[in-house]
Every structure is written in C-alpha cells, then in structure tokens.
Amino acid sequence: MKLSDSLQTLNVEERVQRIVTTIRAEEARLRAKYTILQYQDWIGLGIMLFSLVGMMGSAALYYVDVIPAWAAIVAAAIFASLSHELEHDLIHRQYFKKNAFMHNLMMWLVWIMRPNTINPWYRRKMHFLHHKTSGTQQDLEERLVGNGIGNQLLRYLVMFDGLLGMLVRRKVLSKEVDEFDVEKMLSSAFPIAVLYFTAWYAFLVFHGVDFLWGTALAYPAWMLNIVSGLNFLVVVLIAPNFLRSGCLNFVTSHMHYYGGVDNILQQTQVLKGWFMLPFHLFCFNFGSTHGIHHFVVGQPFYIRQMVAKVAHKVMKENGVRFNDFKSFVHANRYIVEPSR
C-alpha cells in the first residue's frame, strides 16, 4: 500500500498516533452527541440480555415447531455472536468494573451462551498476551484458532474444532509457545466446554453409527430419550456455536498477521466487503472492526462499529492493509511490498 506524499516522511510511531488520535476524537464526538453512551454498564447488560433472550426465544420457537432446525441454528448463532463481543469487552473490563458481582455474573452468562470456549477468566490472561505478542510465535490465542497454519486441512480442523485441533497440535505448541500448557487449557474448559464437547461428540458418534448400522440395531428406550434431548440441544446451542466459532476463527485467524510483524500497523488487516458478509453475519463484523481495537483497546464493541467509517479512512491513509488476500496463501505472513 502506497502512502500519500504528506505521510511518507512520518515514522511508524507518528502514524500510529494519528490513527489513535482520530479514533479517540470520533469516539468523543459520538459520546457528546449521544448521551445514552455514558450508561456503558447498562448498555452492555442490555445487549447481553437481548442476546440471551434471543437464543432462548429461537429455542422455544423451534421446540413448538414454529421454525425449522436450520432457522433456529442461524438465529442462535447470530445472537451468540453478540455474546462473544461482550466477553471480549468484559475481558477488558468495559462493564461493571467496580461491581465484581455483576461483572462475574456477565462473565458466567456469556460463557454459557458460548460453551465451546475456555472460561473467560483464563482467556483474559491469553488475550492480554495476544496484545503483547500479536503476530509472533508467542501469540497463543491466535495460534489456537489457526493463525499461521499453512496446511489448509489442519487449519480448518483447528478453526472448527478447537479441542481436537489443540490436542493434535499440542507438541508443536508446547515446543514453540512459552505460555502453552495443555493441562491448564483443559482445566480452563471445565465444566462448560467439557460438557459441550462431550455432547457434541456423542451426537456425532450416535448418528454416525445409526447411519451405518441403524437398521440392524435395537436401541433401548432410555437411550432414545437421551438422544432426543441431545438432538434438541445440538440445534439450539451446540450447532449454533459450531457455526459461530468457525466463522469467527476463519475471520480472526486470517485478519491477524503471523510472522514478519514489526509494529502495530502490521499486526492486523481489515477484511470488509460483500464477500465477507456470510462470515461477518456470525461474528458481528469482526474482520472489519477488530483492527480498530489494536489501536484503541479500551472501547466497547458497539463504539468500534460506530467509529469504523472514520477509523478505516485514517487506518488506510497510514498504511494498514485492507483485504490483503495474498496473506491467505502464505500462512498469514506479513510480506513487505517492494517500493515503487
């Protein structure tokens, strides 16, 4: 990306400061214009309740046969994507910072809504490490979701099945990442993520066996009752989060660079456009707005959406890349383009 002549003489720190100053100024303008934004704790709580009610409502509609399974899965995945953004904000203590009970209650609820993740208290440590080591070998958070993996088959396994992907790559991660500890990762998944993956694998095994040999098997009534409940749980919670996390991991592992990163301008790119809509639908426009967070950390996700137009302009002017799809074919490495 070629910088304008007026910016050619600025060093990295000056360009970063321009981006940060512009984003903060736009946030200040919006907060002054919309005074409701001062109620940040309650906005966060309201969004969480909206997300929770939306997931429960879609489950109820599916239960009474008002909507089909596919619609319930899509709706729940969209609502769950909000809870992911809330968890990220909570990690940065954007809501109820001075009220431990409410803060931890929200942490519990967003974990329950996204049960295929480690607990958010442990993820806080990983995420802070991410900000310190983004784009490097030590960035455990992004490496766990596929960043830097050149083998596409392995990459998709990691993106869509975090547990199996971690176990397959545990030796590599143990060797290369100082903070990786498989026992701590597994303990941080207990009990909610453990229950999620137990139910998910049980569902897959049963229906796989039933597909191959079901006509020759006689299932006891108690087993069929369990499977019936499991089928419902898969539609309203497990499959939606499989879809949500898969789309999120695809986006985040490709928008973050891995290797060749020397500064914050090179840590992320911006992925936006109609071609990203199928993924962004289930991760709340993450690829378009998450890069803003790397420049201004203490900002709720809905503010990032509001400042995005102004932020994207100044980010592009100062050298942040947009839709760098070449990174997809060289394992996300940031490759410096030759001067023209």
Side-chain angles (χ1 to χ4, degrees):
M1 180 182 296
K2 185 177 180 180
L3 301 177
S4 64
D5 293 339
S6 62
L7 295 173
Q8 288 280 5
T9 59
L10 296 181
N11 61 34
V12 169
E13 290 75 15
E14 290 170 329
R15 283 187 271 145
V16 169
Q17 190 56 47
R18 279 187 174 228
I19 294 171
V20 172
T21 300
T22 301
I23 293 172
R24 290 196 182 280
E26 178 64 6
E27 178 181 356
R29 185 189 72 81
L30 290 167
R31 288 187 180 277
K33 182 177 181 180
Y34 303 108
T35 55
I36 192 175
L37 294 176
Q38 67 182 296
Y39 302 105
Q40 189 163 301
D41 292 345
W42 302 105
I43 292 173
L45 180 62
I47 294 172
M48 188 196 70
L49 293 175
F50 172 76
S51 176
L52 180 60
V53 170
M55 292 184 73
M56 294 174 65
S58 60
L61 291 174
Y62 170 68
Y63 181 77
V64 297
D65 289 326
V66 173
I67 60 174
W70 69 264
I73 292 170
V74 168
I78 294 172
F79 285 117
S81 71
L82 284 169
S83 67
H84 169 79
E85 294 298 320
L86 288 169
E87 186 221 35
H88 179 255
D89 285 354
L90 286 161
I91 283 171
H92 287 282
R93 301 188 184 278
Q94 293 297 300
Y95 311 119
F96 296 102
K97 184 177 182 178
K98 297 180 180 179
N99 187 329
F101 173 79
M102 288 299 298
H103 180 83
N104 288 313
L105 176 62
M106 289 185 69
M107 293 273 270
W108 272 108
L109 288 173
V110 296
W111 189 20
I112 292 169
M113 286 189 278
R114 302 157 39 265
N116 58 337
T117 63
I118 61 174
N119 78 64
W121 295 273
Y122 186 76
R123 189 186 164 223
R124 176 176 280 150
K125 178 182 178 182
M126 285 176 50
H127 189 67
F128 289 170
L129 177 67
H130 162 66
H131 279 283
K132 293 178 181 178
T133 62
S134 185
T136 73
Q137 193 176 67
Q138 298 301 317
D139 186 1
L140 176 59
E141 184 176 65
E142 286 303 316
R143 296 196 66 189
L144 284 171
V145 296
N147 191 247
I149 299 176
N151 182 311
Q152 293 302 307
L153 182 62
L154 177 59
R155 184 171 191 131
Y156 277 89
L157 171 65
V158 169
M159 287 191 296
F160 283 92
D161 193 317
L163 176 59
L164 186 57
M166 181 193 70
L167 294 176
V168 168
R169 301 187 68 235
R170 67 189 185 280
K171 291 184 179 180
V172 171
L173 293 172
S174 295
K175 180 180 179 181
E176 296 181 353
V177 184
D178 296 339
E179 294 296 324
F180 178 75
D181 186 320
V182 69
E183 292 183 0
K184 288 183 178 179
M185 291 296 300
L186 291 174
S187 65
S188 72
F190 184 83
I192 293 176
V194 172
L195 293 172
Y196 170 94
F197 282 105
T198 299
W200 180 228
Y201 294 155
F203 171 85
L204 294 176
V205 168
F206 175 84
H207 286 285
V209 170
D210 185 64
F211 177 78
L212 294 173
W213 302 292
T215 56
L217 298 174
Y219 302 114
W222 63 266
M223 180 181 289
L224 293 177
N225 288 333
I226 292 175
V227 170
S228 178
L230 188 59
N231 290 344
F232 179 77
L233 193 63
V234 165
V235 171
V236 303
L237 186 63
I238 296 176
N241 274 288
F242 178 84
L243 174 61
R244 175 202 63 78
S245 63
C247 290
L248 173 65
N249 293 343
F250 176 86
V251 172
T252 188
S253 69
H254 284 100
M255 67 157 293
H256 286 91
Y257 287 101
Y258 175 78
V261 174
D262 295 320
N263 57 69
I264 192 173
L265 294 171
Q266 301 171 348
Q267 288 178 358
T268 64
Q269 63 168 304
V270 174
L271 292 174
K272 59 183 296 189
W274 63 266
F275 40 83
M276 291 300 299
L277 289 178
F279 300 101
H280 280 163
L281 180 64
F282 300 109
C283 64
F284 209 78
N285 204 31
F286 189 91
S288 178
T289 60
H290 181 70
I292 299 169
H293 174 67
H294 277 245
F295 293 97
V296 179
V297 175
Q299 197 175 62
F301 78 97
Y302 52 86
I303 294 290
R304 286 197 296 278
Q305 301 292 332
M306 296 172 73
V307 304
K309 183 176 181 180
V310 170
H312 286 167
K313 182 175 184 295
V314 71
M315 288 164 72
K316 180 175 285 189
E317 289 172 349
N318 286 276
V320 176
R321 293 180 179 174
F322 282 62
N323 296 332
D324 178 20
F325 295 115
K326 289 183 291 185
S327 72
F328 283 41
V329 298
H330 45 68
N332 312 113
R333 185 170 184 83
Y334 189 95
I335 297 178
V336 178
E337 298 175 351
S339 301
R340 297 177 181 178

